[in-house]
Every structure is written in C-alpha cells, then in structure tokens.
C-alpha cells in the first residue's frame, strides 16, 4: 500500500546521515588494511596463522573479500546492524519524530515493516561494501587468476565471484536475523543509544555462550551459531547444509522477533 | 470525496465520552466529555500538567484510552483513526525534526509518511506551507540550525502540508517572541477562516482568548468547564463598579434599585472615595438608569463602569489557582 514511497524516504534519511557513511567507510577499511598489511609483510602468512583463509589471500583477490567478511562478521558488521536496527523505532522516539510519523498517518505496521526493510537494505549494502572493496583491493594487489578452494580444486574468476557472493549472502542473512532482534529491542525503549548498546551486547553474549561446551545443547539455537559457517561454500562440491540451516534459523528469528515487535509496537503508547 | 461530513450527526470535530487515561495509579485524564463543534476555534486550557497533552495523544491515537470513547471528525478512535488522520494536522508537545535534514526535507519526509499525500504535488505543497509560516528563506537550512521559534513555525508548517478539516495545536506559541505569537494568532485566524476547526491548547489564557470562539478548561485531569466564550464568561455575572465620595448613600440607593452590595464590596478607593461593586443581573435595570438614579439621589459619581469578569477571573475561580502554575 504505497509503502515504497515511505521506504524511499526512509532510505534517503538513512543515507543522508554521516553516521551511515562512517560505518560503511569503517567496514571498507578492513579489507584494505588487511590486504595492504599482507602485501607489505616480507613473509606471507602460513596455513593456520591469523584468521581463517588469511594464508589464501595472496593466491587470489577473492580471498581478500572472503577473509574480510570473516574478520568483520563477529563484531564490526553486527555493530553497524545494532546501530541501524536499534535506531529504527527508538531513534525516531528520541527525536520526537515518531509521533509525527504516526499522526501523518504512516500506520504502525507499515512503519515497522518499512523500517525493517531499510535495515535489510543496509545489511545488503554493508556486506556488499566489504565484498566489493575486498575484491577491488585484492585484484589490485594479488591479481585475479585461478583460485584454489579448500577442497584443493581450482576455480576460475567467474566461479570465484560467485563463491564470494554466496559467502556475502550467508553473512547478509545472518545480519537480517540480527536486525529483527534489534528492531524488537528498539520498540522497547525511547532511547536509541540504549537499544543499540543492548543489541551489541546481545551479539557478544551469544558468541560467548557459543564458546562454552557446557551449553552445547543451546548452540544450535543461538543466532550466532552459523555466523562463520561458510567454509562449506568454498569447497567443491558445495555443501549447503550450513547455509540452509542458517537461513532457516534466521528465518525463525525474523518471524519470532518480528511478531514480538508487532505485538509491542501496535499496542504501545507513544509518549515521546 | 471524504465521508467525514455525514459521519457525525452532532457535527462535532472532536467528541469524547468519559475519556480516561491512567498511567499506573495516576489518572492523567479523568472521564472527560469533550465536545468541539466543527468550525470552532477551540481553546483547550489548563495549567501545565492538567492532562491536555495526554488528551491530545489519546485523540490522535498515540496512546490508548483506559476507558471511555472518542470520535475524531466523526470517526471512532482508535478503530477508524486512519480515516480521520489524513484530515488532521497536528503539533503535539512541541515540534520535532531530523536535525541533519533541511527544513524543506523534514516536511518532505513527513509528507512521504502520509500515504494519502500526493507525491506529484509535494514540492509545491511544501513550498506553500513554508511560505505560510514565513520560512521560505530558511527552507534549505538544516533543522539543527533553526531557532526555537523557527522550529515552532516549521512544526506548524508540517501540520499545514495538506488542507485540513481539523488542526490540533498543542501550545503553538511556546518559545515564540511577542511578534511570533501575533503571527501564529493571525495564522490560526486565517486557517479558521477557511473553515478548518482549530483545537489549540495553551496554559496561557491571554494568548488564545482573543482568537477562540469556544474553550474548555482542564484541571488535574478533569474538564471543569466548556462552552462558547460567552457561556463561559457567564452572561449573568456582570457587575457595576461605582467610585464615589458618598459610599454609604450609594450602597443604599443601589439596594433600592435591587442591586445587592456585599459587605466586602465596599472598599476605600482613594483619599475620600469609596469603590462600590454590585452584581448586575440580566433582568436588572439598565446601566444608564443606574447612573441616573444615583445622580437623582445626590450620589456624586466620580467613576462608573459595567464589567464582565474576565475569563482569567473565571478560570482562576474554576481551577482554584492562576494559570502558569507548573504542577
């Protein structure tokens, strides 16, 4: 119902903010820093040193993009999602603009959906930024010849692009799940910063819990469980288990927290 | 086009019955029956903290009523609110903007949120709303650089993006200098002249007294009076005020005319003069006949006046305190 106009307005507001560009710049700096450091160091990283795939970076530009995603997924990327998703409702509330959007009337459900879609777009842009910048700097410093996969097979440039896109899709899906949690938290408070901090803390807590073997029964249910589970996408043949399990899990999180956010926001007294 | 016209037989822009809003134990709005006629400029008065803004929030669907019902432009609140809101412009508890957007971009943003607003005419309507509040020169300036008064005017511009049937203005003159206050008043007059019902809340009686046709008074969450200004002033409560050196003779002559002078209404005025105040009933003698009678009775009259108590006096009597009292 003419939601696309509000979505357009929402996206314009998001990308008119310095904050958004600063976060994207910070994300973009990760692959650049990593590639430059590896290029300048005299001895290339050996297998098993540093983050996963780092030893592969010198082989092919693709691995710069993939390794950069590995490095940003646990903290950097979720932080940016925490900022954007935590700000959705609480940010409007703390500015006081929420009441004006609602009496416009924007419609509470429409606003909630549009806000969520905006965060999804941001998640795509964030992963896309890391991928694109990773590819660009990787191609510039290490070339784009054939790449060797984890299974030992070699693939051409086209296939390498496809594989890194899959990894990017996996990370984006993870962030889309987190965005649903973030938006629900955002409906609970009128303090945007509080919501952002809560989402950031939650991602760290979930990852810490994921490290505790005593809680192994809980691990498959943690939204962070599959965050780094994209190694199987870099084998031939591709093993899809982790990718699809993650997609199902994140889908469940979106449904659950989406319903909570709906229940909360449609009945909330807006007093800010 | 809009079906609002025939929806309410009583032709009320706002109608509430027993509207109540509680926050926990605290009653913010206590069973109010508000009746705002269409076409009125309705002053919603009361000290700060008397429940005015909460009432407005409930009327606009921002908060849910604890009990009671409300109709806005004939549509039930909150179930049919979405039909009423496009016809309502509102300024609620001060303006609010995206500080990093320009004034014009802020208006575009709010207009985009209204699914009934036509994007094809957006630029034109934004420009006209800005012009109406005198902000054309500041259209491209970031909202964070606006002064308090400019923000207030931008908020009013946002409420005027579309032709409205009802304009709800919560404390529209807050933060404005006397010149700005006059501008807002004339803006309200102009909007009302187009047939828009204006519902304006204020804790400053004097600011709205000049423009309102109707008013209601809130006190600690309850509605203590409402009606047209004449009704509120009380038609039967005129008083005559006589200043005379012959106080006692004046009192007895007034009594002769049927005007009761209470013991406290005879006061020393200035050296040798007394001030006599007596209520003048509607069916009593005409004021000019009172003067003639006094003069015939050799009461020397230095001053004579017929007064209605000001709304301010009336409201102080109703609320037991002056306006401006922060609670």
């Amino acid at each position: 119902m003419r939601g696309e106009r509000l979505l357009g307005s929402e996206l314009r507001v998001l990308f008119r903010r310095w904050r958004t560009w600063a976060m994207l710049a910070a994300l973009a700096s990760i692959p650049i820093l990593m590639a430059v450091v590896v290029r300048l160091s005299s001895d290339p990283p050996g297998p098993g040193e540093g983050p996963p795939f780092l030893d592969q970076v010198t082989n092919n530009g693709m691995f710069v993009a993939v390794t950069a995603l590995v490095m940003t997924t646990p903290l950097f990327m979720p932080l940016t999602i925490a900022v954007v998703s935590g700000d959705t409702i609480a940010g409007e509330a703390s500015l006081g603009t929420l009441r004006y959007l609602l009496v416009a009337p924007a419609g509470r459900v429409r606003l909630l959906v549009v806000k969520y879609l905006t965060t999804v777009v941001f998640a795509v842009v964030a992963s896309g930024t890391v991928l694109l910048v990773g590819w660009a700097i990787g191609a510039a410093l290490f070339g784009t010849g054939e790449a060797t996969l984890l299974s030992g097979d070699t693939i051409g440039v086209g296939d390498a692009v496809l594989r890194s896109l899959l990894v990017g899709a996996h990370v984006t899906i993870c962030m889309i799940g987190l965005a649903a949690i973030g938006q629900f938290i955002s409906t609970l408070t009128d303090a945007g910063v509080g919501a952002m901090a809560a989402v950031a803390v939650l991602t760290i807590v979930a990852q810490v819990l994921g490290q505790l073997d005593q809680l192994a029964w809980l691990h498959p249910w943690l939204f962070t469980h599959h965050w780094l589970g994209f190694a199987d996408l870099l084998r031939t043949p591709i093993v899809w288990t982790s990718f699809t399990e993650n997609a199902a899990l994140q889908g469940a999180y979106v449904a659950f927290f989406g319903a909570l956010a709906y229940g909360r926001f449609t009945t909330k007294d807006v007093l800010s | 086009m809009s079906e609002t016209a025939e929806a309410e037989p009583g032709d009320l822009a706002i109608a509430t019955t027993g509207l109540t809003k509680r926050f926990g134990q605290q009653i913010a709005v206590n069973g109010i029956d508000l009746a705002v006629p269409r076409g009125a400029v309705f002053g919603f008065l009361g000290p700060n903290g008397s429940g005015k803004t909460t009432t407005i929030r409930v009327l606009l669907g921002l908060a849910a009523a604890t009990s009671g019902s409300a109709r806005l432009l004939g549509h039930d609140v909150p179930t049919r609110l979405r039909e009423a809101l496009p016809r309502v412009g509102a300024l609620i508890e001060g303006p609010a903007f995206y500080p990093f957007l320009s004034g014009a971009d802020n208006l575009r943003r709010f207009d985009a949120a209204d699914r009934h607003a036509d994007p094809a005419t957006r630029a034109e309507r934004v420009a006209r709303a800005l012009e109406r509040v005198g902000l054309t020169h500041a259209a491209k300036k970031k909202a964070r650089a606006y002064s308090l008064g400019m923000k207030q005017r931008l908020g009013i511009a946002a409420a005027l993006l579309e032709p409205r049937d009802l304009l709800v203005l919560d404390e529209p003159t807050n933060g404005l200098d006397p010149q700005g206050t006059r501008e807002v008043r004339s803006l309200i007059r102009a909007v009302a002249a187009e047939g828009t019902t204006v519902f304006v809340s204020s804790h400053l009686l004097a600011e709205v007294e000049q423009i309102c046709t109707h008013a209601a008074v809130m006190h600690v969450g309850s509605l203590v009076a409402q009606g047209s200004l004449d009704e509120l002033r009380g038609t039967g409560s005129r008083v005559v005020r006589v200043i005379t050196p012959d106080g006692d003779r004046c009192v007895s002559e007034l009594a002769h005319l049927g005007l009761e002078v209470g013991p406290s209404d005879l006061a020393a005025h200035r050296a040798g003069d007394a001030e006599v105040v007596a209520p003048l009933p509607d069916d009593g003698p005409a004021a000019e006949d009172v003067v003639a009678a006094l003069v015939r009775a050799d009461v020397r009259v230095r001053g004579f006046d017929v007064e209605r108590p000001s709304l301010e006096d009336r409201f102080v009597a109703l609320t037991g305190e002056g306006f401006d009292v922060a609670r």
Side-chain angles (χ1 to χ4, degrees):
Chain A
M1 286 191 291
R2 296 200 192 170
E4 76 283 357
R5 259 176 228 153
L6 185 56
L7 181 60
S9 164
E10 199 64 51
L11 287 170
R12 271 194 296 281
V13 169
L14 178 65
F15 288 102
R16 287 280 291 273
R17 302 192 78 157
W18 274 110
R19 191 178 73 188
T20 307
W21 292 103
M23 292 191 300
L24 291 177
L27 283 173
S29 70
I30 300 289
I32 296 175
L33 279 175
M34 190 189 67
V36 169
V37 166
V38 169
R39 186 81 179 86
L40 294 183
S41 68
S42 47
D43 57 331
E49 278 180 38
F53 316 131
L54 191 64
D55 57 316
Q56 303 282 344
V57 163
T58 50
N59 289 345
N60 188 288
M62 174 191 85
F63 279 103
V64 176
V66 170
T67 311
L69 281 174
V70 173
M71 290 168 79
T72 51
T73 299
L75 188 62
F76 245 57
M77 185 94 69
L79 270 185
T80 65
I81 299 295
V83 168
V84 175
S85 68
D87 205 39
T88 47
I89 303 297
E92 299 278 359
S94 59
L95 281 179
T97 44
L98 182 57
R99 58 179 185 269
Y100 289 108
L101 293 179
L102 291 181
V103 302
R108 294 197 183 204
V109 179
R110 176 169 169 253
L111 188 62
L112 205 58
V113 170
V114 165
K115 286 276 184 191
Y116 183 64
L117 292 179
T118 306
T119 316
V120 169
V121 170
F122 178 81
V124 172
V125 171
S127 323
T129 302
V130 176
L131 268 185
L132 277 180
V133 173
W135 261 106
I137 191 81
L141 297 185
F142 307 109
T144 54
E146 298 205 315
T148 311
L149 290 175
L150 302 181
S151 53
D153 304 82
T154 12
I155 52 170
V157 178
D159 209 6
V161 170
L162 202 66
R163 299 293 180 121
S164 43
L165 277 180
L166 278 178
V167 173
H170 174 89
V171 170
T172 306
I173 290 170
C174 295
M175 295 304 125
I176 286 174
L178 177 64
I181 302 173
Q183 180 149 8
F184 168 62
I185 292 175
S186 191
T187 62
L188 298 179
T189 170
D190 290 345
V193 179
M196 297 175 201
V199 183
V201 167
L202 206 58
T203 60
I204 293 168
V205 169
Q207 291 182 78
V208 169
L209 294 180
Q211 306 279 324
L212 299 176
D213 291 339
Q214 290 80 357
L215 296 174
W217 56 271
L218 180 67
H219 292 172
W221 304 100
L222 290 173
F223 61 93
T224 51
H225 185 57
H226 298 286
W227 273 16
L228 293 176
F230 46 69
D232 288 349
L233 299 173
L234 299 174
R235 299 181 208 281
T236 295
I238 295 177
V239 183
W240 290 98
T241 326
S242 182
F243 185 88
T244 50
E245 272 182 19
N246 177 58
L249 179 69
Q250 302 301 340
Y253 267 94
V254 171
F256 182 70
F257 283 95
L260 285 184
Y262 171 85
R264 165 71 181 161
F265 189 56
T266 51
T267 56
K268 178 185 181 168
D269 278 356
V270 174
L271 302 173
S272 59
Chain B
M1 294 242 312
S2 114
E3 54 189 3
T4 55
E6 64 268 26
E8 177 73 39
D11 240 10
L12 293 173
I14 298 173
T16 73
T17 319
L19 193 71
T20 301
K21 178 66 183 177
R22 276 174 194 274
F23 295 109
Q25 286 301 300
Q26 196 204 342
I27 298 190
V29 178
N30 190 3
I32 68 171
D33 300 322
L34 203 56
V36 178
R38 278 179 192 264
V41 177
F42 195 99
F44 192 44
L45 304 163
N48 289 328
S50 57
K52 302 188 302 292
T53 299
T54 304
T55 304
I56 289 174
R57 283 181 184 278
V58 172
L59 285 174
L60 297 178
L62 293 172
T66 308
S67 63
S69 66
R71 291 173 81 80
L72 194 63
L73 295 174
H75 299 286
D76 186 57
V77 175
T79 54
R80 308 301 295 269
L81 198 63
R82 124 202 322 235
E83 281 144 70
L85 282 180
R87 307 298 302 163
V88 179
L91 180 70
I92 314 146
E93 205 170 14
F97 302 106
Y98 304 87
F100 48 89
L101 293 184
S102 71
D105 282 343
N106 268 288
L107 294 192
R108 279 187 207 111
R109 162 86 172 138
F110 291 130
D111 199 62
D114 178 359
R115 73 180 98 205
H116 304 266
D118 181 4
T121 59
R122 181 166 299 152
E124 186 194 329
R125 286 181 291 111
V126 165
R128 206 173 47 223
L130 285 170
E131 191 192 336
R132 228 171 153 176
V133 297
L135 282 178
T136 306
H137 65 283
K140 294 206 167 88
K141 208 164 152 179
K142 295 259 188 289
R144 73 159 67 87
Y146 275 37
S147 70
L148 194 59
M150 288 164 81
K151 283 182 182 159
Q152 196 76 14
R153 286 190 283 167
L154 189 60
I156 296 174
L160 293 174
L161 278 170
E162 294 259 5
R164 309 289 193 185
D165 290 339
L166 172 65
L167 192 59
V168 176
L169 299 174
D170 188 12
E171 304 277 1
T173 56
N174 259 6
L176 294 185
D177 54 17
Q179 171 63 20
T181 304
R182 271 194 297 281
E183 285 169 11
V184 167
R185 255 190 239 128
S186 71
L187 196 63
I188 291 175
R189 279 198 197 95
V191 171
E194 292 163 11
T196 301
T197 309
V198 183
F199 184 79
V200 50
S201 90
S202 182
H203 67 282
L204 296 173
L205 175 62
E207 294 205 333
V208 293
E209 188 174 2
Q210 315 167 28
I211 51 169
C212 289
T213 58
H214 294 70
V217 184
M218 290 286 283
H219 179 58
V220 208
S222 299
L223 198 62
V224 290
Q226 80 174 320
S228 71
L229 282 207
D230 285 342
E231 284 165 4
L232 282 173
R233 286 197 182 102
T235 44
S237 55
R238 291 181 303 163
V239 295
V240 296
R241 186 183 304 274
V242 188
I243 295 167
T244 170
D246 310 315
D248 292 333
R249 216 171 327 142
C250 176
V251 170
S252 63
E253 185 53 33
L254 286 176
H256 197 69
L257 289 165
L259 304 185
E260 292 279 330
V261 179
S264 62
D265 289 336
L266 175 59
H269 180 63
R270 233 176 261 145
D273 284 352
E275 185 185 61
V276 184
V277 180
L280 182 65
D282 276 350
D283 55 355
E288 55 274 22
D289 295 339
V290 175
V291 188
L294 287 175
V295 172
R296 266 200 305 277
D298 270 349
V299 177
R300 292 167 294 170
V301 177
R302 205 187 285 281
F304 182 87
D305 203 4
V306 180
E307 294 175 348
R308 275 167 190 267
S310 71
L311 268 187
E312 183 101 43
D313 296 341
R314 177 93 175 105
F315 292 165
V316 169
L318 283 170
T319 59
E321 59 193 295
F323 268 74
D324 266 340
V325 179
R327 298 165 51 81

